Amino acid sequence: MTFWLSFVLWGLFALLLAEVVRDGYHVLCHRVPGLTKLHNWHHLAYRRDLSLVSVELYQKAQLYHDILESALLVVVLTVVAVVSGVPGLWLGVVYALGFLLGGARLYLFKTVETDFNHLPGPLTAPPAPWWVNRAYHWRHHFDNPNAYYSGVFTLVDRVLGTALSLKGKTVAITGASGALGQALITELLARRARVVAFTTSDNLELPGVKVIPWRLGEEESLRAHLAPCDILITNHGVNVHSDRTPAAIHRSYEVNTFSTLRLIDLFLSTIEGPMAPATKEIWVNTSEAEVSPALSPLYELSKRSLGELITLKRLASRCTLRKLILGPFKSALNPQGVMSAAQVARGFLFWAERDCRDIVVTINPLTYFLFPLKELSTGLYYRLFTRA
C-alpha cells in the first residue's frame, strides 16, 4: 500500500513537473532567437478567431514546435526518472510520450485535430484563474505573445508575473485626483499602459493622460469613453467619518456603492465582439472595510455592500472582476493612514500581474486570513441561493 501511494504521489508530481518544463521551454521560445524562429510557426498557423490559416502552416507548427517540444520533454523527464530512481516519475515520461506520438501522428498522416485551447469561434468566458482556458491562451496569441506562457495551469505565469500584461492596455480609472489614483497612474504608465482618468475635480491636468470630467449620477455620459477601454478601475470614494445624518448616509452609499455599480454595469454593457471577454476587466476598490473596522461606520457599511454585490456579480460576469482589498494608506480620506499610496499601488499591481482575483494589500495580518474565508463562504451561499 505504501509503495502504490508513493507511486501515485510521485506520478502526480511528474505530471506537474512535465507542465512546468513545457512552460519553461515556451518562455525560452520567446526569448532565445533560434527557438523563436521555430516557435513562430505555431503563432503563424492561427487567425484571430483561432481558425487555421492553412493546413500547410499547421503541419509546420506540428513539426517545428509540437514535436520538438514533446521530444525535449521526453528527454528531460527520462533523465530525471533515471537519475532519481523513483518509479513514479516514469508516469511523467509516459505522459510526455503521449504528446510526442500524438504530434508525430498528426504530422505524418497530415491530420488536423485542434486541441481545446485552439478551438475556433467566439470566446464565451473570461480567462480562468488557475487553469488555462481558450480565453487565457488567446491572450498569448493576440494580446501579448511575451506573456501568458502557461499551457495547462497558470503556475509559471504567476511566478514570472506574466499572467496579466498591462502593456498597451487602455485603463480607465476613477478617483484620478486622489492619492491612490495618482500613484496608480504613475505605475500604469511605467508599465506602458494607456490611461484614461475620470475625475470629478475641476482643472485636473495629468501629463500623458487623457482626463475626462464627470459628475455623480451622470455615468451614462462616459459610455463612449469606456467602450474602447480594456480595464476599468473604480477607485473613487468618500468617507464621512463620524457623521450619521440622513445626508451622510445617502452620500456614502451614492458615492461608494451605487455610483460604482452604475459604472460597472455600464462597462459590462460595452463588452461586445467575439473576443472581448479575453481582454476586458474590472478592478473594484472595496477596501479592507469588507472584513474589519475602519472606525467610520458609514464607510464600512457602504463599502461592505459594494463588496457583497461584486461577489454576487462574479457568478455570471462576462469579464474578469478583481477586488482590491486595501488597508489604511495616507490620503485625503484617511490622513492617519500608515501606508503610502505608492506602496499600495505597486503592491496590488504586482499581484494583478500574477492574476490574483482578490488582492489584499494591508499591514493587518488578520485580513489575509479572514477575507478569503468570507469571500469563499459568501460566494458559495450566493451560488446556492441565487440564479441567473
Side-chain angles (χ1 to χ4, degrees), residues 31-350:
R31 300 186 181 182
V32 178
L35 295 176
T36 300
K37 185 176 181 180
L38 297 173
H39 178 68
N40 277 346
W41 289 109
H42 176 74
H43 284 265
L44 292 171
Y46 296 94
R47 297 188 182 92
R48 193 171 178 84
D49 64 353
L50 292 176
S51 62
L52 289 177
V53 173
S54 71
V55 175
E56 180 185 2
L57 284 175
Y58 178 78
Q59 292 295 318
K60 288 184 176 180
Q62 288 295 318
L63 177 62
Y64 295 120
H65 172 66
D66 294 69
I67 292 176
L68 181 60
E69 176 189 76
S70 300
L72 176 67
L73 203 58
V74 170
V75 171
V76 171
L77 293 174
T78 300
V79 170
V80 171
V82 170
V83 172
S84 67
V86 177
L89 292 179
W90 285 99
L91 285 179
V93 179
V94 174
Y95 179 71
L97 275 171
F99 288 105
L100 178 58
L101 294 175
R105 178 179 63 84
L106 294 178
Y107 177 73
L108 293 173
F109 293 97
K110 300 187 183 304
T111 304
V112 175
E113 290 182 9
T114 305
D115 62 88
F116 175 77
N117 287 336
H118 294 92
L119 287 175
L123 302 175
T124 57
W130 296 104
W131 299 95
V132 175
N133 63 357
R134 291 177 63 236
Y136 189 98
H137 192 67
W138 183 92
R139 292 191 298 186
H140 174 68
H141 278 266
F142 302 107
D143 179 28
N144 183 356
N146 294 314
Y148 317 111
Y149 299 111
S150 297
V152 174
F153 55 91
T154 61
L155 176 62
V156 168
D157 280 327
R158 286 175 176 268
V159 171
L160 295 179
T162 53
L164 173 67
S165 172
L166 294 169
K167 179 182 177 181
K169 292 285 197 307
T170 301
V171 182
I173 178 171
T174 64
S177 62
L180 182 58
Q182 298 279 298
L184 264 175
I185 289 171
T186 299
E187 294 295 326
L188 288 167
L189 291 176
R191 288 163 170 79
R192 299 172 67 183
R194 297 185 292 268
V195 179
V196 179
F198 295 154
T199 181
T200 56
S201 300
D202 295 326
N203 303 319
L204 178 65
E205 294 184 6
L206 299 169
V209 175
K210 183 178 181 180
V211 178
I212 307 296
W214 70 293
R215 293 290 178 265
L216 290 172
E218 300 176 4
E219 289 79 13
E220 181 64 32
S221 66
L222 300 177
R223 178 181 292 275
H225 300 291
L226 283 173
C229 292
D230 299 298
I231 299 173
L232 168 65
I233 304 177
T234 60
N235 176 58
H236 62 290
V238 67
N239 189 345
V240 299
H241 300 287
S242 60
D243 195 351
R244 62 185 185 195
T245 60
I249 294 172
H250 180 271
R251 187 178 178 218
S252 295
Y253 276 92
E254 177 62 19
V255 177
N256 294 340
T257 309
F258 300 127
S259 172
T260 298
L261 287 174
R262 288 194 293 268
L263 282 170
I264 289 171
D265 289 337
L266 183 62
F267 185 80
L268 288 171
S269 71
T270 68
I271 300 178
E272 299 176 344
M275 304 302 159
T279 56
K280 296 281 189 174
E281 296 199 5
I282 300 173
W283 302 4
V284 185
N285 181 357
T286 66
S287 157
E288 191 178 31
E290 274 206 70
V291 291
S292 61
L295 304 182
S296 177
L298 282 175
Y299 183 80
E300 296 165 21
L301 289 168
S302 56
K303 283 290 191 176
R304 200 168 293 150
S305 297
L306 174 63
E308 297 292 316
L309 290 168
I310 297 304
T311 302
L312 184 67
K313 281 180 171 291
R314 276 177 161 175
L315 299 180
S317 176
R318 284 198 68 221
C319 74
T320 299
L321 274 170
R322 300 186 196 275
K323 281 190 178 185
L324 312 178
I325 314 303
L326 310 181
F329 60 90
K330 192 175 291 294
S331 67
L333 296 186
N334 185 10
Q336 289 77 39
V338 294
M339 298 185 293
S340 73
Q343 285 176 313
V344 171
R346 285 193 297 269
F348 82 66
L349 286 179
F350 175 90

